[in-house]
Amino acid sequence: MPPWLVILVAMVLVTLLLNPGKEEFGWFLRLRRPAWLTFERWIPVIWVAIYLCFYASALLAWRASGSWVLMGAYLLLLLLVQSYTLVICRSRRLANGTVVGFLGWVWGMALAGGVTTLSPPAALLLVPYLLWSPVGTFVTWRMQRLNQ
């Protein structure tokens, strides 16, 4: 199987396996949000763009290094990113999502730093996630106050 397909299949499988169920996600959707969160309808589009950048970054990093260890680092980031909503929905605690979001951002920073010397474009493609992740974590943190 070619690397581009392995990366794509891994991303799709992780995304499908770590999605909350309909009922669990319904609970999350019923939570109160900050009044200033007027861009929520755009969040799925933002995440699609982030995942496309993430995929391109992993593919460029693979082409530059051929390292399975590096692909494991990308997989760990994907697991952290994708488990954010699942952890919130399963535990019904927004604070847990804040922790997972922060851990994902820290790991993303480390991964981007490690990839920079191998493939600067791969590192740049992680920037959208690194910019968006603190926004999502902040929104979750603010939602904690509204949903105690």
Side-chain angles (χ1 to χ4, degrees):
M1 194 176 325
W4 66 268
L5 188 55
V6 172
I7 294 168
L8 183 61
V9 167
M11 288 183 70
V12 169
L13 284 176
V14 167
T15 302
L16 291 174
L17 292 173
L18 295 183
N19 258 334
K22 195 174 191 177
E23 204 171 293
E24 292 170 323
F25 195 62
W27 169 84
F28 179 73
L29 292 175
R30 288 188 297 275
L31 295 174
R32 290 179 297 190
R33 277 124 172 96
W36 49 262
L37 186 61
T38 58
F39 55 88
E40 187 170 20
R41 65 184 167 152
W42 294 104
I43 291 175
V45 174
I46 292 167
W47 274 110
V48 167
I50 288 170
Y51 276 122
L52 288 172
C53 289
F54 188 86
Y55 172 75
S57 175
L59 192 55
L60 289 171
W62 172 260
R63 288 182 180 160
S65 70
S67 169
W68 285 108
V69 171
L70 185 56
M71 291 303 101
Y74 272 92
L75 180 60
L76 178 57
L77 180 59
L78 180 62
L79 290 168
L80 287 167
V81 170
Q82 192 59 37
S83 65
Y84 166 82
T85 305
L86 182 66
V87 166
I88 289 173
C89 292
R90 292 262 166 97
S91 68
R92 294 197 176 215
R93 291 185 44 90
L94 290 163
N96 293 343
T98 303
V99 170
V100 171
F102 178 71
L103 290 173
W105 182 80
V106 169
W107 187 253
M109 289 292 288
L111 181 59
V115 169
T116 300
T117 56
L118 295 170
S119 173
L124 284 174
L125 284 165
L126 292 174
V127 169
Y129 166 71
L130 295 173
L131 293 175
W132 179 253
S133 179
V135 173
T137 302
F138 179 72
V139 168
T140 306
W141 179 71
R142 294 294 298 177
M143 285 174 63
Q144 288 176 53
R145 293 182 175 179
L146 297 172
N147 297 280
Q148 292 185 11

